Amino acid sequence: MILTLGLVSALQTGLIGAFAGYYLSESLYDEIGQRALMVAKTVAASPAVIAGIQQRDITRLNDLAGRLASTNEALFIVIGDHNGIRLAHPDPGRIGHSMADDDGDYGERALQDGDAYVALARGSLGNSMRGKAPVTDLVGGEIVGIVSVGYGVDQVEARIQRYNLVLYGVVGVMLLFSVLAAIAIAARFKRAIFGLEPEQIARLFEEQAATLQSVREGIIAINREGVITTVNRTALETLGLQPDTPMVGRPLQEVLPESDLQSVLETGIPDFDREVWLHGRQMIVNRLPVRQGNEIIGVVASFRLRDEVDQVSRQLTRIRQYADTLRSQTHEYSNKLHTIAGLIQLGANEEALALIGSEVSDHQALLHLLLDAVPDPVIAGCLLGKYNRAREMGLKLEIDPGSQMADLPPQLPRDQLVSVLGNLLDNALEATRRHHGEGGTVHLSMTDLGQELIFEVDDQGAGVPESLHDHIFEKGVSTKPGEQHGIGLFLVQQFINRWGGSVTVEKLQPAGSRFTLYLPKTPQQEATV
């Protein structure tokens, strides 16, 4: 950049300097020529000169020409008669000879045509700018002679050299200033681009573009005017737009009128994990303002479909539930096997058989209930795992013998229902253990009669305070101490919103809470927010 700007500045100042020098030279030559012509006309109109020519008074004319040349700083003043014969000349030896001896021009235009003109010629006194004017008789108007006034070209060139020195100095200062300005601009520009060279910027741009397209989340960025500057392929797919839809350079409100990015641009407050609707799709959006110093210059938003987030959450929940089930069963049966082995070693065979029978009968009764009431294996497996989990915690999970959950709609996602039931039962078990300790009971009742699926979960915990009844399903709200809570019931509420059901909470006496879940057998469309 420094080299380019320096060369451009040098070329510009050089051209300007050359043009100025040429124009100055031409102007000076023209000025000297006009001055010579003016002096020639003035001398030619002098009565003393006219009289001297008519009387051929050579002495008087030479004296007069010398004084006038000195007064006007001319190189010479030559006076001739009507034939171009010199009557006055700085060199006495040239007097009486034709003026054509110098340059072949004896003043024909002036003597014959009466014209006054300027000519550049080399004579006996060197190169000079000459002004020639005819001398006219005052009475009859007849041309009686000619006056030639010359200014030496050396004088003109000396003045041009003086002017050129000044001009070249100005050009040099301009060139130096241009180079310093180029250095300052380049330094400031380099600071603005973090000290990177153009090749590095191009490489980083390509890497950023590739990274942007490889991200599985949709990304849209806008500038301070609300115009889209960046968008990746995933964003178009997530919004249901065609891959070739032009987005960059268009106002955001024109493409996504329901977007609220403009508010982040105005307030500068970031927004994380917010649920919004865009193009009829519910998404999880993160929005972050882009700052340059203390100024907000744009906003970047990343988003993905909420179904994808929920799916990952449900998968993790199921894996955790399966792991808890296996761990509790392994722990419980390991203890029982050790007990049975000890009884056999002690010879207490009857007691060992009674323990085995009791264990078998409890599980057989639960399995028969689940097989009769809940034919769906996914939900039955979840309840069996929670039953074992309760026993590991020193609690008891009772399932109402009159429960029935066979009429499950086929479109109801089983993994989501398992996640909801699992969260309700986990909360009930933890609340019961915290408040009641070992020996506490959690009661589950299910029915599919009518047009709704109804699940009731009763615990023996401290109960949900009435002040939290309207907020317990909000994200981050929990009755558990510490942080990292308030997610399970929030996911329950999200599923209910999508399916169109409802959930209630009430306080039991003397202690405990009842959560009742209502799910319509026919899903309802959630309203757009």
Side-chain angles (χ1 to χ4, degrees), residues 398-434:
E398 289 185 352
I399 301 178
D400 191 338
S403 295
Q404 183 68 31
M405 192 55 61
D407 190 15
L408 290 172
Q411 66 269 34
L412 178 64
R414 301 303 192 265
D415 56 343
Q416 296 185 30
L417 182 57
V418 164
S419 176
V420 169
L421 282 177
N423 282 319
L424 291 177
L425 291 173
D426 284 341
N427 287 342
L429 291 172
E430 293 180 11
T432 301
R433 184 174 63 174
R434 284 199 315 271

Side-chain angles (χ1 to χ4, degrees), residues 369-489:
L369 174 61
L370 292 177
L371 289 175
D372 293 338
V374 188
D376 190 279
V378 176
I379 298 177
C382 173
L383 296 178
L384 181 59
K386 296 304 177 184
Y387 175 83
N388 293 324
R389 172 64 176 162
R391 295 186 62 176
E392 182 189 31
M393 297 171 65
L395 306 175
K396 185 177 182 181
L397 174 61
E398 289 185 352
I399 301 178
D400 191 338
S403 295
Q404 183 68 31
M405 192 55 61
D407 190 15
L408 290 172
Q411 66 269 34
L412 178 64
R414 301 303 192 265
D415 56 343
Q416 296 185 30
L417 182 57
V418 164
S419 176
V420 169
L421 282 177
N423 282 319
L424 291 177
L425 291 173
D426 284 341
N427 287 342
L429 291 172
E430 293 180 11
T432 301
R433 184 174 63 174
R434 284 199 315 271
H435 182 71
H436 191 280
E438 293 188 3
T441 302
V442 173
H443 184 79
L444 170 65
S445 174
M446 304 175 290
T447 179
D448 59 1
L449 299 177
Q451 299 301 315
E452 292 182 317
L453 308 177
I454 302 176
F455 300 85
E456 288 186 354
V457 179
D458 297 349
D459 62 55
Q460 294 179 336
V464 178
E466 292 186 2
S467 59
L468 290 180
H469 281 189
D470 295 334
H471 306 285
I472 191 65
F473 295 98
E474 296 178 3
K475 189 175 182 180
V477 178
S478 176
T479 59
K480 301 174 186 177
E483 301 178 355
Q484 307 282 336
H485 298 298
I487 301 298
L489 293 180

Side-chain angles (χ1 to χ4, degrees), residues 177-247:
F177 176 78
S178 299
V179 172
L180 294 177
I183 294 174
I185 293 172
R188 188 175 185 277
F189 186 74
K190 196 165 187 177
R191 286 196 303 271
I193 59 176
F194 305 103
L196 299 174
E197 295 296 334
E199 295 81 6
Q200 295 174 304
I201 296 175
R203 185 168 58 253
L204 288 176
F205 177 80
E206 295 295 336
E207 292 176 359
Q208 180 196 34
T211 303
L212 193 66
Q213 297 301 333
S214 67
V215 174
R216 296 188 61 186
E217 286 193 351
I219 296 177
I220 292 180
I222 62 173
N223 59 17
R224 72 185 73 189
E225 287 79 25
V227 176
I228 298 175
T229 57
T230 302
V231 61
N232 67 348
R233 188 183 302 108
T234 306
L236 298 177
E237 296 173 353
T238 305
L239 295 173
L241 301 175
Q242 295 297 324
D244 56 349
T245 302
M247 296 279 283

Side-chain angles (χ1 to χ4, degrees), residues 252-253 256-265 271 274 276 278 287:
L252 179 68
Q253 294 301 318
L256 300 173
E258 61 267 54
S259 174
D260 198 26
L261 275 183
Q262 197 72 26
S263 63
V264 180
L265 189 63
D271 200 359
R274 182 177 178 183
V276 300
L278 288 175
R287 301 180 293 191

Side-chain angles (χ1 to χ4, degrees), residues 26-305:
E26 292 297 318
S27 297
L28 286 175
Y29 277 116
D30 183 66
E31 178 187 347
I32 295 298
Q34 293 301 318
R35 183 177 180 182
L37 183 61
M38 184 178 296
V39 173
K41 289 181 177 181
T42 302
V43 173
S46 172
V49 172
I50 297 174
I53 294 175
Q54 290 176 336
Q55 298 172 10
R56 301 190 71 84
D57 190 348
I58 295 177
T59 302
R60 183 181 177 188
L61 288 175
N62 278 276
D63 180 62
L64 185 60
R67 286 189 290 105
L68 290 174
S70 175
T71 302
N72 290 278
E73 299 181 351
L75 178 64
F76 61 84
I77 294 180
V78 177
I79 302 174
D81 61 12
H82 66 282
N83 292 319
I85 303 300
R86 301 186 188 96
L87 300 177
H89 193 280
D91 184 4
R94 296 280 181 171
I95 298 174
H97 297 281
S98 174
M99 296 175 64
D101 293 348
D102 286 336
D103 55 4
D105 180 14
Y106 65 89
E108 181 179 2
R109 288 176 55 188
L111 293 173
Q112 295 183 4
D113 302 331
D115 295 334
Y117 63 94
V118 177
L120 174 63
R122 170 177 288 276
S124 60
L125 298 178
N127 286 336
S128 61
M129 290 292 296
R130 301 178 181 184
K132 296 186 179 184
V135 179
T136 305
D137 183 10
L138 296 177
V139 179
E142 181 183 357
I143 298 175
V144 297
I146 185 174
V147 174
S148 176
V149 179
Y151 283 88
V153 175
D154 293 339
Q155 294 175 289
V156 179
E157 292 179 349
R159 291 183 63 184
I160 292 175
Q161 289 297 328
R162 290 197 302 271
Y163 290 149
N164 282 341
L165 288 177
V166 176
L167 179 62
Y168 294 152
V170 173
V171 169
V173 171
M174 290 176 60
L175 180 60
L176 178 61
F177 176 78
S178 299
V179 172
L180 294 177
I183 294 174
I185 293 172
R188 188 175 185 277
F189 186 74
K190 196 165 187 177
R191 286 196 303 271
I193 59 176
F194 305 103
L196 299 174
E197 295 296 334
E199 295 81 6
Q200 295 174 304
I201 296 175
R203 185 168 58 253
L204 288 176
F205 177 80
E206 295 295 336
E207 292 176 359
Q208 180 196 34
T211 303
L212 193 66
Q213 297 301 333
S214 67
V215 174
R216 296 188 61 186
E217 286 193 351
I219 296 177
I220 292 180
I222 62 173
N223 59 17
R224 72 185 73 189
E225 287 79 25
V227 176
I228 298 175
T229 57
T230 302
V231 61
N232 67 348
R233 188 183 302 108
T234 306
L236 298 177
E237 296 173 353
T238 305
L239 295 173
L241 301 175
Q242 295 297 324
D244 56 349
T245 302
M247 296 279 283
V248 176
R250 298 176 60 186
L252 179 68
Q253 294 301 318
E254 177 184 319
V255 182
L256 300 173
E258 61 267 54
S259 174
D260 198 26
L261 275 183
Q262 197 72 26
S263 63
V264 180
L265 189 63
E266 295 172 356
T267 63
I269 301 176
D271 200 359
F272 299 103
D273 297 330
R274 182 177 178 183
E275 297 186 16
V276 300
W277 280 85
L278 288 175
H279 277 208
R281 300 185 177 190
Q282 195 168 14
M283 304 178 188
I284 304 297
V285 180
N286 295 295
R287 301 180 293 191
L288 190 68
V290 181
R291 299 179 182 272
Q292 187 175 37
N294 295 325
E295 182 182 3
I296 299 175
I297 61 174
V299 179
V300 175
S302 63
F303 54 90
R304 66 189 309 164
L305 293 174

